[in-house]
Amino acid sequence: MPKVGMEPMRRQQLIDATIEVVAEVGLGGATINLISRRAGMSSGIISHYFGGKQALIEASVRYLLAKLKMEQSPDTPYERLMKIVDLNFSEVQQADSSTKTWLSFWGRSMHDPNLYRLQELNKRRLVSNLRYSFKQLLAPEQAKDAAEITAALIDGFWLRCALSRTNKARFAVAKSHCKKYIDDVLTLHGVK
């Protein structure tokens, strides 16, 4: 008889193992056997908890996406904008295993409809969250443009840092550039 409360722990162990294995060998090389071995479990447990490798990969991507959500929304639109930038450059998003998993995921999402859907969801959520805060500070058209540009800066700077395998200082500089853009836009429009 399975122990009560073990399922969430085991699911997380498999997600963590998936992220580690994908970071080492890419999505194509991440087999059920490698993942289950890394998690210290039998290969059948993946089917039991997730139904298969594809669902486990999607769960792992959703886990990384969840790390981009705010636990509590800051009080002001400006603080919320800064928090969005902070989350996208957080320690979790800078970790070598996360960056390699994101890069593998983005590459595979061009050919996999389910992963593409998750990527589109992530992209739309980032722009929507930025636009929501900018709309409280700027005219609607300005807010729309500022949100699109800020999202592109976040993704672009993060991608450059991840691809160059730079140190934490480089991620900090990238985060600073994104925050400076927000400050500059708000100053330009007389908000700050």
Side-chain angles (χ1 to χ4, degrees):
M1 181 170 196
K3 293 181 182 177
V4 176
M6 289 301 289
E7 181 176 347
M9 248 174 35
R10 287 191 175 143
R11 289 174 68 87
Q12 188 59 52
Q13 287 174 312
L14 288 166
I15 288 170
D16 293 341
T18 301
I19 292 169
E20 291 172 14
V21 169
V22 169
E24 288 176 17
V25 299
L27 278 173
T31 64
I32 288 175
N33 286 335
L34 280 174
I35 294 167
S36 59
R37 198 172 323 132
R38 176 64 55 93
M41 298 179 200
S42 71
S43 58
I45 202 86
I46 291 174
S47 292
H48 175 72
Y49 287 132
F50 295 97
K53 177 183 162 186
Q54 181 67 24
L56 174 57
I57 289 169
E58 290 173 26
S60 299
V61 171
R62 279 193 296 279
Y63 168 78
L64 290 173
L65 288 171
K67 294 297 182 184
L68 295 171
K69 290 183 181 177
M70 289 184 211
E71 298 294 321
Q72 283 186 306
S73 183
D75 294 335
T76 68
Y78 177 77
E79 290 171 341
R80 184 174 165 79
L81 288 166
M82 294 298 124
K83 182 68 173 179
I84 291 168
V85 174
D86 287 339
L87 287 169
N88 279 274
F89 289 97
S90 68
E91 292 291 322
V92 170
Q93 301 304 331
Q94 293 179 38
D96 196 45
S97 59
S98 294
T99 60
K100 288 178 180 177
T101 299
W102 274 118
L103 293 171
S104 291
F105 158 69
W106 281 343
R108 176 69 79 75
S109 71
M110 295 186 314
H111 308 286
D112 183 314
N114 291 331
L115 294 180
Y116 177 78
R117 181 183 50 75
L118 287 173
Q119 170 52 29
E120 283 298 301
L121 174 73
N122 179 44
K123 181 177 72 176
R124 283 194 309 269
R125 185 171 60 197
L126 175 59
V127 172
S128 176
N129 286 336
L130 290 164
R131 188 172 46 243
Y132 172 79
S133 295
F134 274 123
K135 279 173 83 172
Q136 296 173 48
L137 301 168
L138 303 172
E141 194 59 35
Q142 295 166 341
K144 179 180 178 272
D145 291 345
E148 290 285 346
I149 293 168
T150 303
L153 287 172
I154 289 169
D155 286 344
F157 277 121
W158 183 92
L159 183 59
R160 280 185 175 190
C161 291
L163 286 173
S164 64
R165 298 182 184 180
T166 59
N167 58 28
K168 291 182 188 295
R170 184 73 179 156
F171 275 105
V173 169
K175 179 169 74 169
S176 175
H177 287 318
C178 293
K179 288 184 172 188
K180 183 178 181 323
Y181 171 76
I182 293 169
D183 285 337
D184 290 348
V185 166
L186 297 178
T187 299
L188 177 67
H189 294 288
V191 177
K192 193 166 183 210

